[in-house]
Amino acid sequence: MQAKLLLEDGTLFTGQSFGSNIEMTGEVVFNTGMTGYQEILSDPSYCGQMVTMTYPLIGNYGMSLEDFEALKPHIHGFIVREHEQLPSNWRVDYSLDYCLKQFDIPGISGIDTRMLTRKIRQVGTMKAIITTEDYTQAELMKKLNGATFNTDQVLKVATKQTYIVPGMKERIVVMDFGVKSGIVRELVKRGCECIVVPPQTSAEEIATYKPDGILLSNGPGNPKDVMYGVETIKRLLGKYPLFGICMGHQLFALACGANTERLKFGHRGGNHPVKDIDKNSCYITSQNHGYTVTPDIPTEELEITHINNNDKTVEGLRHKVHPAFSVQYHPEAAPGPYDSSYLFDEFLTMVKQFQQAHNLTPRQKEIYTAASKGV
């Protein structure tokens, strides 16, 4: 069946439909990963977006029930050069086409994804519509212009109620802004008990769980639409060790007085080079974000720890007084290289150091003693 993809600048692509035949609008982005399309599909951070894969062959190893990063995908469309209908993999449970049909996600193949990616890089991220109906270009443009797009997508993808993943060591509260299961998996692998809470959970309620540390998760959309999370982070800062990832990194930055801005076309893929300033080392990282922290941070509170080697954007922050740090990329990978999984170990080391407050400097003792009288 024929499918059409129309961009808001009027560019029309015609290809073949796979997955669901539903008509859908969304924001077209591209991902440069060569593998991991299932983890990309199920990453909640892609909520409301149509993902273009730059690697030309997608679907060749099918889908496995073990590899989902969330209970269900939230993307609005999947755009590929060639869609393989007969996967070959000993772990395969079903095909990509079957998965998209099950979750009512439209796919389009047989289009020039190189041209589409180059256009996004030149013009920037654009809104688009996918349909299998025989509309004229003018009719499609009218539909696209009349479509509504959600702003705060965090509440759409995050958990509605608190749940616990058991562990025998440190108790970590995970603020779910669209958390990937890989993040929880990395903590549980290190023996942590994870209490995953909804994004609007108050600092007072978090305190009742008596956490050893707080993890701020990834998530979709504009961080400035999640100011309730920023206010909670302000109340938690200094009272517990804190680690932010992706959206959590941006919310941590806003809570400390920094600013964020939209990138032209974002960073998405498993091959982005990031420099660790302290170690003077370069890591290959997995990324998925459309916003970034601006470099004009409040230097009395924050310092930049990582930068992107491609465009020099901020990739990591550390608080100068409180036990808190964050990274823009995904140390849990899934998909992507595992160069940065050590950050989970550094977070847990910080948690242990915080617990041993008697070994802190007099100034730090004063800060933490005062903080403990609050929430």
Side-chain angles (χ1 to χ4, degrees):
M1 182 182 294
Q2 188 181 81
K4 294 179 180 179
L5 169 70
L6 179 69
L7 306 182
E8 65 176 299
D9 72 345
T11 304
L12 179 66
F13 296 88
T14 301
Q16 291 78 50
S17 169
F18 69 101
S20 173
N21 293 331
I22 190 174
E23 186 174 288
M24 191 72 79
T25 57
E27 183 182 63
V28 177
V29 300
F30 65 87
N31 187 292
T32 57
M34 295 178 65
T35 62
Y37 54 81
Q38 178 174 348
E39 293 89 339
I40 292 165
L41 280 169
S42 56
D43 182 348
S45 296
Y46 282 111
C47 178
Q49 297 179 332
M50 297 176 173
V51 182
T52 304
M53 299 300 297
T54 60
Y55 190 73
L57 177 63
I58 301 297
N60 54 312
Y61 57 83
M63 308 283 281
S64 169
L65 292 171
E66 297 178 6
D67 294 335
F68 276 93
E69 286 299 309
L71 291 177
K72 57 173 287 188
H74 293 276
I75 72 167
H76 280 198
F78 205 42
I79 305 164
V80 303
R81 178 68 184 92
E82 181 180 348
H83 163 234
E84 176 54 61
Q85 301 182 50
L86 299 174
S88 176
N89 178 7
W90 68 273
R91 296 176 67 244
V92 67
D93 290 308
Y94 42 76
S95 68
L96 171 61
D97 179 63
Y98 178 83
C99 177
L100 295 187
K101 283 184 169 70
Q102 289 297 107
F103 293 107
D104 220 13
I105 299 168
I108 181 171
S109 66
I111 71 167
D112 189 344
T113 51
R114 176 183 286 270
M115 172 192 168
L116 176 55
T117 300
R118 287 172 65 91
K119 178 172 281 292
I120 295 171
R121 284 180 58 89
Q122 292 165 3
V123 179
T125 301
M126 287 181 282
K127 297 173 184 176
I129 184 170
I130 292 178
T131 185
T132 57
E133 299 295 330
D134 190 23
Y135 294 119
T136 66
Q137 186 166 339
E139 290 171 330
L140 274 179
M141 184 59 73
K142 184 176 180 180
K143 279 179 165 287
L144 178 58
N145 291 335
T148 57
F149 293 83
N150 294 332
T151 51
D152 184 2
Q153 297 159 333
V154 166
L155 295 178
K156 185 176 180 180
V157 302
T159 183
K160 302 297 187 293
Q161 58 185 15
T162 299
Y163 63 92
I164 300 174
V165 183
M168 298 299 292
K169 294 184 179 180
E170 292 81 10
R171 176 178 293 173
I172 306 299
V173 165
V174 178
M175 291 193 69
D176 181 5
F177 300 108
V179 68
K180 291 173 62 182
S181 62
I183 291 175
V184 176
R185 186 168 58 244
E186 287 294 328
L187 292 170
V188 172
K189 187 165 68 176
R190 290 164 172 79
C192 297
E193 176 187 52
C194 292
I195 302 177
V196 185
V197 301
Q200 292 181 312
T201 305
S202 68
E204 290 79 7
E205 183 176 346
I206 288 174
T208 65
Y209 297 118
K210 301 187 185 307
D212 296 311
I214 311 290
L215 189 140
L216 312 173
S217 86
N218 63 292
N222 185 346
K224 291 181 179 176
D225 290 331
V226 197
M227 294 308 293
Y228 49 84
V230 173
E231 292 305 314
T232 301
I233 294 167
K234 286 180 181 179
R235 295 177 61 80
L236 295 172
L237 190 61
K239 300 174 176 63
Y240 307 99
L242 185 150
F243 178 26
I245 295 174
C246 200
M247 170 68 81
H249 158 79
Q250 296 164 7
L251 297 177
F252 166 62
L254 290 173
C256 295
N259 193 21
T260 58
E261 63 183 2
R262 186 182 178 90
L263 290 166
K264 185 176 181 180
F265 49 80
H267 300 157
R268 298 174 180 90
N271 49 9
H272 292 263
V274 168
K275 180 180 179 180
D276 183 323
I277 296 174
D278 289 345
K279 296 181 174 65
N280 195 31
S281 299
C282 181
Y283 299 97
I284 303 302
T285 67
S286 178
Q287 302 200 10
N288 174 19
H289 59 274
Y291 290 81
T292 185
V293 176
T294 59
D296 54 335
I297 61 171
T299 54
E300 67 278 5
E301 290 197 44
L302 298 174
E303 60 182 331
I304 297 174
T305 58
H306 299 74
I307 58 171
N308 190 295
N309 268 359
N310 287 334
D311 60 11
K312 308 307 178 185
T313 52
V314 177
E315 292 280 359
L317 294 169
R318 179 170 53 225
H319 203 282
K320 289 185 174 181
V321 177
H322 302 305
F325 70 98
S326 63
V327 291
Q328 180 64 79
Y329 52 93
H330 287 260
E332 83 287 353
Y338 293 92
D339 294 27
S340 302
S341 61
Y342 71 92
L343 290 171
F344 290 100
D345 298 313
E346 290 192 354
F347 172 53
L348 294 179
T349 296
M350 186 174 68
V351 168
K352 292 181 176 67
Q353 290 173 344
F354 185 85
Q355 292 171 337
Q356 299 167 352
H358 60 277
N359 292 329
L360 302 177
T361 66
R363 171 58 179 154
Q364 289 173 321
K365 286 183 180 179
E366 178 183 342
I367 293 170
Y368 298 145
T369 301
S372 67
K373 295 178 181 177
V375 175

